[in-house]
Amino acid sequence: MPLRFAPHDARALALTLLEPDALSGWLEGPGAAHRAWVEAQGFKASLGEVVLLPGEGGLAGAVAGYGDAAARARQRFPLAAVAQALPPGDWRIAEGLPSEAAETEALGWLLAGYAFARYRDGPDRPERRLVAPAGVDPDRIEMLAEAEALTRDLVNTPAADMGPAALEAEAAALAARFGARIEVTRGDDLLSGNLPLIHTVGRAAAEAPRLIDIRHGDVGPRLTLVGKGVCFDTGGLNLKPAQAMGLMKKDMGGAATVLSLAQMIMAEDWPVQLRVLIPAVENAVAGNAFRPGDILTSRKGLTVEVNNTDAEGRLVLADALALACEEGPDALISMATLTGAARVAVGPDLAPFFTDDDALAQGLAEAGARWADPVWRLPFHTPYEAMIEPGIADLDNAPSGGLGGAITAALFLRRFAEGAGAYAHFDIYAWQPQAAPGRAKGGLMQGARALRGALPGALGL
């Protein structure tokens, strides 16, 4: 279903938002005509509480609780809680929406209309459309909603229909839409192209592993996005238990997110040389699967001891990062559903990131807060470097002990990101475990809006 605003016309129903402290004043003023009706409903202006207002010809509008500041702080998109409680139709906000929150709240309203219905037949869901509030650029907010819908659709699609070939097709469609160039290296060509880790991880799967390489723009600073595209992760020979394998269709969430970020950048026509690299594989079990104890040689020449085949994401990212750095990008971003340790550290809502660039970190924190895309900086703690050095090889893909797992994974990747002007790595979850206003249960975009807000400053745009 398209996530679009309603047209500006007189037919949209008026929606009044009220905080609890403003309720009595409203009932004495414009709301006096409906006072008895509203009071009879026991309306307290709690967040998401709605009373429909009758009129001579039927429904005249609605008054909705916007809650207090504490209640709103508990919701990423408070207005989306109101949207979900309204009947279908076109609505306009008559009063009560703070101007500084209008853009993010309008975005939340649009995202509340998202539904993944690829595998269900039936009538379309009734729409609750919003007239874009004053001061909101509807094209920009619709663009942001469309980008998030792309991530959600890709992550929600099961691996049978979103394997490496299907992910390549999605990337090709996006490239064609914006006139970008795309090259794909597949199967044994990865070996001749010196991308051995990508080949090793994906060679046991039914579909050939591949590296997807998209370029857009020929002038300006170089910006490269690298996204983990493990379309399904069994864990390899270190097989995951059933409970851990159940959500592994989302292990390409990093790839889905960088495609959405690239969509935003291309839609806004940033003056940059954009490159998107996606190693697309399936970590499967077969006679030619890579083994615990194997020593692998990366594109960069660093050797890696495999102590767990379920730590495959950092392997495919390593080759892609090394390739990216051969051009010396001004900014390099990697995004991956990489470690369970990150979820233990910050839970599912926050997108933790690592960077040595303090200005970029500050920009990400500010943009994340501005665009309802919360992020949290974790440290590249250099003393832990010893934990990823096994002695028998240059690097260990899965240090024993399990402590600091998100940090050691990030340090592993940093070894392959040398040569970039600024580097940030995101260890995202890409999944909403329980439905919340504006966030349906399922695939979720994390970190992309924060990056959209922070990268222009980092690139000097």
Side-chain angles (χ1 to χ4, degrees):
M1 179 184 298
L3 304 180
R4 296 287 184 266
F5 290 108
H8 285 266
D9 60 37
R11 291 173 294 178
L13 294 164
L15 173 64
T16 297
L17 302 176
L18 291 175
E19 297 185 24
D21 289 347
L23 176 57
S24 59
W26 182 81
L27 290 172
E28 294 294 336
H34 291 103
R35 178 169 186 162
W37 175 258
V38 171
E39 289 180 337
Q41 311 301 311
F43 180 72
K44 303 296 183 184
S46 300
L47 182 62
E49 190 180 7
V50 169
V51 173
L52 302 179
L53 302 177
E56 292 183 4
L59 185 61
V63 57
Y66 198 49
D68 57 19
R72 293 194 297 276
R74 297 170 66 90
Q75 294 287 354
R76 192 172 303 183
F77 298 112
L79 185 60
V82 174
Q84 294 173 184
L86 291 169
D90 290 352
W91 295 87
R92 61 176 179 84
I93 299 176
E95 61 177 290
L97 181 64
S99 59
E100 65 273 13
E103 287 189 310
T104 53
E105 291 285 44
L107 174 62
W109 183 297
L110 293 187
L111 293 177
Y114 172 85
F116 183 66
R118 175 171 176 172
Y119 300 97
R120 292 185 299 171
D121 292 328
D124 291 337
R125 295 175 61 197
E127 291 186 82
R128 299 163 178 84
R129 299 196 305 175
L130 178 69
V131 174
V136 169
D137 180 346
D139 292 336
R140 176 166 64 172
I141 302 304
E142 288 175 352
M143 178 272 295
L144 295 176
E146 181 186 10
E148 173 136 358
L150 174 62
T151 291
R152 294 185 185 187
D153 284 348
L154 295 178
V155 173
N156 284 331
T157 303
D161 294 323
M162 192 50 65
L167 184 57
E168 176 189 330
E170 293 286 347
L174 182 65
R177 176 181 170 188
F178 291 100
R181 307 175 296 281
I182 183 169
E183 295 182 3
V184 182
T185 307
R186 306 178 190 85
D188 289 345
D189 288 344
L190 292 166
L191 295 176
S192 58
N194 193 21
L195 296 163
L197 299 187
I198 299 173
H199 181 273
T200 297
V201 171
R203 71 191 181 201
E207 292 187 7
R210 62 205 68 203
L211 178 73
I212 301 164
D213 188 345
I214 299 172
R215 294 179 184 268
H216 182 267
D218 298 311
V219 296
R222 296 181 182 271
L223 168 62
T224 300
L225 313 176
V226 179
K228 174 185 170 184
V230 178
C231 295
F232 195 82
D233 182 17
T234 66
L237 293 177
N238 290 114
L239 195 68
K240 293 178 181 286
Q243 183 177 8
M245 207 184 300
L247 278 180
M248 283 302 100
K249 68 176 184 179
K250 78 173 185 68
D251 213 20
M252 38 64 71
T257 303
V258 298
L259 284 174
S260 292
L261 178 56
Q263 177 173 308
M264 290 187 249
I265 291 169
M266 291 187 291
E268 295 186 300
D269 198 22
W270 289 17
V272 298
Q273 298 179 70
L274 174 66
R275 190 179 191 187
V276 181
L277 294 170
I278 296 173
V281 303
E282 185 172 344
N283 189 20
V285 177
N288 63 340
F290 71 118
R291 297 161 293 267
D294 284 352
I295 304 289
L296 309 177
T297 302
S298 68
R299 179 183 182 88
K300 190 173 181 179
L302 294 173
T303 56
V304 182
E305 181 180 8
V306 176
N307 281 311
N308 191 329
T309 61
D310 195 21
E312 85 298 332
R314 66 201 70 182
L315 298 178
V316 299
L317 289 171
D319 271 355
L321 289 169
L323 174 63
C325 286
E326 290 168 10
E327 291 187 344
D330 297 286
L332 175 64
I333 307 296
S334 58
M335 303 197 79
T337 51
L338 204 63
T339 70
R343 308 286 69 77
V344 173
V346 300
D349 280 3
L350 287 167
F353 70 93
F354 300 79
T355 185
D356 289 318
D357 190 311
D358 292 338
L360 177 58
Q362 181 64 27
L364 285 166
E366 292 173 355
R370 166 75 177 81
W371 286 106
D373 188 16
V375 297
W376 196 262
R377 188 183 189 182
L378 293 180
F380 275 131
H381 188 54
T382 300
Y384 287 172
E385 289 274 2
M387 297 169 65
I388 61 172
E389 297 170 345
I392 193 173
D394 294 317
L395 294 169
D396 183 340
N397 84 317
S400 61
L403 299 179
I407 298 174
T408 55
L411 290 171
F412 182 99
L413 294 180
R414 189 173 67 168
R415 293 287 187 97
F416 297 88
E418 295 173 352
Y423 172 57
H425 163 62
F426 280 75
D427 192 338
I428 61 175
Y429 193 45
W431 192 259
Q432 178 68 28
Q434 302 293 332
R439 294 179 290 158
K441 180 179 179 180
L444 185 70
M445 188 177 77
Q446 292 182 295
R449 286 194 300 276
L451 282 162
R452 173 188 167 272
L455 282 172
L459 294 167
L461 300 181

